[in-house]
Structures are given as C-alpha cells and as structure tokens.
Amino acid sequence: MTRFIHNIIAASAALLLMGAGASCTMMQDKTDDCPTGLYVRFVYDYNTQRADMFRDHVGHVKLYVYDETGRKVAEKSVSNGDAYAPLRDYGYSVHFDPSELAPGRYRLQAIGMQKDWDDALATDGAKYRLEEGDSHTDLKIHLDHAAEALAGTNYHPVEHRSVALDTLWHTLKVMSYEPRDGRATPSLHATKAPYSVYPLEEQYVTVASGYATYATVSLVRDTKHLNITLRQIDEPDKITHNDFDVDIIEPNGTIGHDNGVAAGDSLLYTPYASWTSRFDDGGVTVEPQGSRADETAVQRTAHYNLMFNRLVIDSNDPGKGALLRIRKRADGKTVALINLTQFLSEGRIAYDIRNYGDQEYLDREYDYHLNLFLQGNKWKYCDIVVNVLGWARRKENIEL
C-alpha cells in the first residue's frame, strides 16, 4: 500500500511538471510565467584567439534599439562596478519586456567600453565621446584631439597625458533565433561567417507577442595597441628612447554608426609610455631616463607603447594607410616612414590556416609588436612579431 501511494504521488508530481511546461510551450494565451520580450546577449570572439573574451574584457555596454525606419525606440546601459559586475556573468542578458518594446522588427546596435562611460570621461587622457540622435545614422563616436593643428602641419595631436586610451568595441553583427515559447534559454551564439563588418540585414531581430526573442550582438574591438622596440645595429649600446620621436598619423578620429571611419582631421598619435632596457652581465634593467652615464651596457633597446583607433584599408587606394614615423630628436631627421596599415596586415600570414583577409586580420588583431633595427640614419629591417609560437616576419628596407 505504501508503495502504491508513493507511485500515485510521483505520477501526480510528473503531471504537474508537464502542466507547468505546457503553460509555456502549448498554451499561448497563458504566458504570465513564461519568458517574453527581447533578451540580448553579447560576445567578443572576433579576435585571433577565436575565444569569447567579452566577460573578461568588456565592462560597459550601451545597447540601442531602432525600428525599421531607423528611429530609436529604446536603449539601455549596463556597467560593471565594485559591488556588482553583471557583465562578468557568462551569457548575461539585457532584457526588454513587452511593456518596453512592442512586437515588431528591430535593429540593434551596441557600443562597449572597458568601464562605465561616465567614469571613463572623468579620468585623464584623450577620451571617446558619443554623439547620439533619434536615428541610427546619428550615432558617432569621436576621439578627443587638439582643435588646432601643430604649427606648420595639419596634424592634430591626441593628448594621452601618459594614459592609455580607453578601449572601444562596436557592433560587428547581430545573430538571433526565431521567437520561441518555453523556458529553455538557447545556447549563446558564436560569431560565424560571413565576417564582413556590419552587414545591414544582420542587424535585425523580430519580437513576437507572447514569445521570447533571444539575440546575440557580436562585437569588434576598434582600439588597437602597438609596442615598438628599436635596436641599433652598429652601436648596440648607443640608443635610448629619448633619442627619437615616434608617432602615427591617420585621419581616423570618428567612427560612424556602421563602424566605418569617417573623414576628418589627421590625428597624431604619440606614445603613452616609453622606456629603455639595458642589457649587461647583471641581466636586464630598465632605464626610465635613458641615461648613458654608465657605459658598461652591452646593449640597449628603446621601447614605445602607442594606442590608436581602427585601421581601415582603402579598397580604392590600397597604398594609402596610417603612417608610422620615427625621427631623430636631435636633428629631426626621419629614420623610418612606414605604411603601418599595410605593414601590420602582413601578420595575417601567421594564421595561414584561417585564410584571413587584410581587413579581417586588422579587425581581429588588437595587440601588435614591431622590432626595428637601425643602421645609421635608416631602419635596416623590421620584424613583425605575432604571439603565435614566436612567429615573426622580417621586412627589409629596400630604400637603405
């Protein structure tokens, strides 16, 4: 008898569970206890590691929703803080319930940063600034730079004040499931081909009444980092970071709603950090002031860290691109003038198996390394270093 009663109780519990499921999956007129509305998640796997690093890298997201005419109908911001860091939770969703977003077809755009936008603006150094409006085409992001060009040039300095740039992410594409009933949350999308940046038809989602729509916004990182090391071939111990001025020149200060680089002022990016490494019998030490007072060094190397905005290859004129310029501080002579956009894109060869195109590689990679070897007043050759099994590609200066 006890076993019979136990079986009846178990069967009743199972029926209750089936009924609860049915209320979500079969009875469309009863959805109070079901997920409805729009759930938007985020990934940042458009990188050379091909790993989702969103939860580790991104600390602030601003999400915009536009209707089919391009008019903004909703927006939400989420930031990590000291006490609460929701974006560190894998698969975190920004939710718009039916009272916030009526059924319809919508376009999504998202902007990401390392930390809350207002907090970033309160710190030192050049900042990204949002320009917003009622239409999706009104969205632009401007990088701070001097209003006046340097005397005798048309270059507008980006004033770092010894602070690295904040990191900006933009929308690559939007991926969504068909509106669905039921409680089961679908798996998080991974970014899949085609990888063209910002295809218009891949920005839309459909929100249906009484159903849940799950969408994933894939982000692309626009802010890049470059480390440069200078070595002297003839006199390896006779170089310091104070001997040279290093900069990057490129008119890429404004990013549009489509993540395109808008024409504007020519920006002058300078290092936010520089130092000299000294090699001798005692090992490697750092000489912040680059002093040559002690001549016991066997070798010295000069180092420069720079950050800059997205690089875009001009399909109409591939010879154009950002310029890396290195000049001797003592006399102003140029020792290197390099098309940085073309130069860095050659790092794609390290990933031959992936068959990256030039622009795809430039958008996936965010941490570049160049080792330049100087001979006299010109660079002799340069190693493009990619952190894949110590891969490096050597380029010689044919003009030497």
Side-chain angles (χ1 to χ4, degrees):
M1 177 64 71
T2 302
R3 178 175 297 178
F4 177 73
I5 294 174
H6 175 78
N7 288 341
I8 290 177
I9 293 173
S12 299
L15 287 171
L16 286 171
L17 288 173
M18 290 176 63
S23 70
C24 253
T25 60
M26 298 176 65
M27 300 174 60
Q28 301 310 317
D29 58 345
K30 183 180 179 182
T31 57
D32 292 344
D33 61 342
C34 301
T36 57
L38 175 63
Y39 294 82
V40 182
R41 299 175 293 183
F42 307 90
V43 295
Y44 167 48
D45 57 1
Y46 196 70
N47 45 57
T48 54
Q49 293 87 347
R50 303 176 77 88
D52 181 12
M53 298 189 285
F54 175 83
R55 63 194 297 268
D56 298 315
H57 286 213
V58 183
H60 168 85
V61 165
K62 190 161 190 178
L63 176 65
Y64 302 89
V65 183
Y66 303 91
D67 64 18
E68 288 195 89
T69 69
R71 181 179 62 90
K72 184 168 65 176
V73 295
E75 65 178 73
K76 285 190 177 183
S77 294
V78 183
S79 299
N80 289 337
D82 294 334
Y84 179 53
L87 299 179
R88 290 179 187 158
D89 294 335
Y90 179 75
Y92 172 83
S93 296
V94 173
H95 180 222
F96 295 90
D97 67 38
S99 67
E100 298 174 294
L101 203 60
R105 189 168 182 257
Y106 297 100
R107 185 177 184 177
L108 304 182
Q109 287 180 303
I111 303 296
M113 296 282 285
Q114 282 184 310
K115 55 178 174 284
D116 181 84
W117 205 289
D118 291 335
D119 291 345
L121 292 176
T123 60
D124 290 335
K127 300 300 169 192
Y128 287 105
R129 300 186 187 272
L130 273 176
E131 178 184 340
E132 301 172 291
D134 295 330
S135 170
H136 74 275
T137 57
D138 294 333
L139 180 65
K140 297 180 178 64
I141 303 101
H142 304 284
L143 179 60
D144 282 349
H145 57 275
E148 300 296 328
L150 289 175
T153 77
N154 64 342
Y155 308 144
H156 297 251
V158 176
E159 298 175 354
H160 294 289
R161 299 176 187 171
S162 300
V163 178
L165 288 180
D166 295 315
T167 306
L168 173 70
W169 285 266
H170 208 295
T171 303
L172 173 68
K173 63 191 299 185
V174 177
M175 303 163 285
S176 66
Y177 293 93
E178 291 296 318
R180 53 199 290 149
D181 56 353
R183 298 178 184 278
T185 301
S187 58
L188 189 63
H189 290 89
T191 306
K192 295 181 180 179
Y195 293 125
S196 57
V197 175
Y198 213 82
L200 179 60
E201 285 304 311
E202 294 183 11
Q203 308 305 318
Y204 288 99
V205 297
T206 299
V207 177
S209 178
Y211 287 79
T213 295
Y214 290 90
T216 303
V217 177
S218 175
L219 298 174
V220 54
R221 175 170 165 164
D222 283 346
T223 313
K224 309 298 182 179
H225 185 270
L226 172 64
N227 171 261
I228 295 174
T229 298
L230 297 184
R231 291 177 168 85
Q232 178 61 256
I233 296 175
D234 297 330
E235 298 179 289
D237 63 324
K238 299 293 193 292
I239 190 172
T240 79
H241 69 275
N242 290 319
D243 295 339
F244 300 93
D245 289 317
V246 177
D247 51 51
I248 295 170
I249 304 166
E250 174 70 347
N252 62 348
T254 297
I255 300 294
H257 73 97
D258 58 353
N259 203 36
V261 175
D265 296 333
S266 288
L267 303 193
L268 185 73
Y269 298 93
T270 54
Y272 69 88
S274 56
W275 68 98
T276 301
S277 293
R278 164 191 166 139
F279 300 82
D280 56 23
D281 292 340
V284 183
T285 56
V286 174
E287 298 179 332
Q289 303 305 316
S291 172
R292 289 201 188 96
D294 186 347
E295 296 296 339
T296 62
V298 176
Q299 180 179 337
R300 287 184 173 90
T301 55
H303 306 271
Y304 308 86
N305 282 343
L306 301 94
M307 294 191 77
F308 50 94
N309 228 356
R310 183 181 181 221
L311 298 181
V312 177
I313 294 174
D314 188 337
S315 58
N316 296 318
D317 188 356
K320 292 175 60 178
L323 287 179
L324 170 63
R325 185 177 61 169
I326 303 175
R327 294 170 297 159
K328 275 194 170 181
R329 188 169 292 177
D331 56 17
K333 288 184 178 179
T334 299
V335 299
L337 189 62
I338 295 172
N339 184 322
L340 188 64
T341 306
Q342 287 188 331
F343 221 65
L344 294 181
S345 70
E346 295 201 20
R348 72 190 186 284
I349 300 170
Y351 303 91
D352 253 353
I353 192 172
R354 301 295 186 185
N355 196 31
Y356 293 144
D358 290 346
Q359 189 62 56
E360 181 180 351
Y361 174 72
L362 288 174
D363 284 327
R364 281 183 176 272
E365 187 62 87
Y366 59 86
D367 194 12
Y368 301 98
H369 302 269
L370 296 178
N371 294 333
L372 276 81
F373 296 80
L374 305 175
Q375 189 170 47
N377 287 326
K378 291 287 183 180
W379 64 276
K380 171 67 174 174
Y381 50 85
C382 175
D383 290 340
I384 305 168
V385 182
V386 177
N387 292 325
V388 178
L389 301 176
W391 184 94
R393 178 178 177 85
R394 177 156 293 184
K395 295 280 291 182
E396 292 201 22
N397 182 6
I398 59 175
E399 297 179 356
L400 183 67

